[in-house]
Amino acid sequence: MELKPWYPSDYRHALENILTSNEVDRILSKPDCGPRFVYGPLMLPTVLKYHIHMNQQIDISKNMTQATLHGYRICQFAGSSPPVIIRSTDPRSTVQGILIFDLNNEQRNAIYDFEAGLMDLCSVQVDIWQWDDEYTRSVRTVDGVGAFQWNSPTDGLTPLEAASWSVDRFLESAFYEHVWRSQMAVEAEEQLSASVQLGEEANPHLSSEQQLSPGRDRSRFRSSLDDIPEM
C-alpha cells in the first residue's frame, strides 16, 4: 500500500511496522486474542481506537502490520463509501490491508458491531512480513484471521482497480474530522481531570478541547489534514 508523507504518523507507523517472528509467536499463543484483518477506515489507528473505545494515548500501531488476503476482491458501492470484500473467481486476486494483533474479546466485539449487518465474519489466511533476525525478513502465513466479507447481492458493487482502498478522501471527510475532534475532547477532559487532582486551576474561558497542556502536540492526529493542498 502507498505510504504518503502527509498521512497521520500512527498510520504511517502501522504501514511500516514489521514484527519479529518471536513477537508473532508470542501474540498468537495468547488465548482469545485472534487477529483481525481490516481494509477500510479501521486501518487508521485513530479511527480504530475510536470504535473500540481505546485511549488515544495507547500506541496500537505497534500491533498492526500490512497484510495480503488472497482469493478476494475489494469493491465499493460508490466513490465515497467504505470498501467491502467479496470472494473472487480469480485465485490471483488479492486484497491489501492491515492485520491487527492482540485485541481482547471486548475490542473484537466492538469491531463486529461496527462491521456487521451486510457483512459476515469469516476465517481467512493472510500473508505478512516478519523479521527472522536483525537482517532477514520472510513471508509468514497467519491462519484463523477474522475478516468481514459482503453477504448481500453484488449488484451495484464496483471492483476497485487497486488491491487496496485509498484513505486519502476519507482523511478529508467530515466523519474523520468528527472522530479526531471527539478523541481530542476526551483526551482534554482526561488532562483537565488530572490537573484538578493535582490542584491546578483550569481556565474557565477555554473549552475542554482547548484546555490541552501547552506542550501538547494537538496536530498529531490531524497533521495529515493540515498538509493537504487545496484543489
Side-chain angles (χ1 to χ4, degrees):
M1 291 187 290
E2 188 175 7
L3 192 156
K4 298 180 180 179
W6 55 268
Y7 282 166
S9 58
D10 51 1
Y11 179 54
R12 296 200 310 269
H13 181 252
L15 292 178
E16 295 177 317
N17 190 40
I18 299 177
L19 283 72
T20 68
S21 58
N22 288 337
E23 288 173 327
V24 177
D25 289 339
R26 176 183 58 81
I27 294 173
L28 292 179
S29 67
K30 292 184 177 181
D32 298 323
C33 286
R36 290 290 181 264
F37 175 76
V38 295
Y39 47 85
L42 294 183
M43 294 190 297
L44 294 159
T46 299
V47 178
L48 173 64
K49 288 186 281 189
Y50 173 80
H51 284 289
I52 65 175
H53 316 296
M54 177 180 283
N55 190 310
Q56 279 294 332
Q57 296 183 14
I58 297 176
D59 181 17
I60 196 173
S61 65
K62 66 182 181 181
N63 291 331
M64 303 171 72
T65 190
Q66 286 199 51
T68 301
L69 171 64
H70 296 272
Y72 285 79
R73 292 203 68 177
I74 189 166
C75 306
Q76 279 185 297
F77 263 127
S80 60
S81 67
V84 299
I85 59 172
I86 59 174
R87 283 192 175 274
S88 175
T89 56
D90 184 354
R92 297 170 299 177
S93 295
T94 60
V95 175
Q96 295 177 352
I98 295 286
L99 188 63
I100 312 168
F101 289 105
D102 212 14
L103 296 169
N104 60 35
N105 282 330
E106 183 178 349
Q107 292 164 343
R108 286 182 289 140
N109 287 338
I111 293 177
Y112 182 88
D113 291 339
F114 174 72
E115 296 280 19
L118 298 176
M119 310 273 274
D120 283 336
L121 178 62
C122 58
S123 180
V124 299
Q125 293 180 333
V126 299
D127 290 340
I128 63 171
W129 285 104
Q130 67 175 17
W131 287 112
D132 298 322
D133 54 45
E134 186 177 356
Y135 304 103
T136 308
R137 66 177 187 175
S138 63
V139 175
R140 175 168 181 163
T141 299
V142 181
D143 299 314
V145 173
F148 288 87
Q149 73 174 45
W150 185 249
N151 65 5
S152 300
T154 58
D155 298 343
L157 291 183
T158 302
L160 300 184
E161 293 183 4
S164 63
W165 179 69
S166 173
V167 302
D168 294 24
R169 292 181 64 181
F170 182 79
L171 288 172
E172 297 177 283
S173 69
F175 180 73
Y176 184 78
E177 177 77 5
H178 167 73
V179 169
W180 180 83
R181 288 187 179 277
S182 297
Q183 297 298 74
M184 293 303 291
V186 170
E187 189 173 343
E189 289 290 349
E190 292 175 350
Q191 290 192 12
L192 178 60
S193 176
S195 297
V196 170
Q197 291 178 5
L198 292 174
E200 300 175 3
E201 292 187 4
N203 187 336
H205 301 293
L206 297 180
S207 67
S208 59
E209 183 178 338
Q210 291 172 318
Q211 291 177 16
L212 293 171
S213 59
R216 192 69 173 173
D217 179 11
R218 294 182 58 196
S219 66
R220 64 182 177 132
F221 303 121
R222 197 184 179 189
S223 58
S224 60
L225 299 178
D226 296 337
D227 295 336
I228 296 175
E230 294 185 2
M231 303 300 291

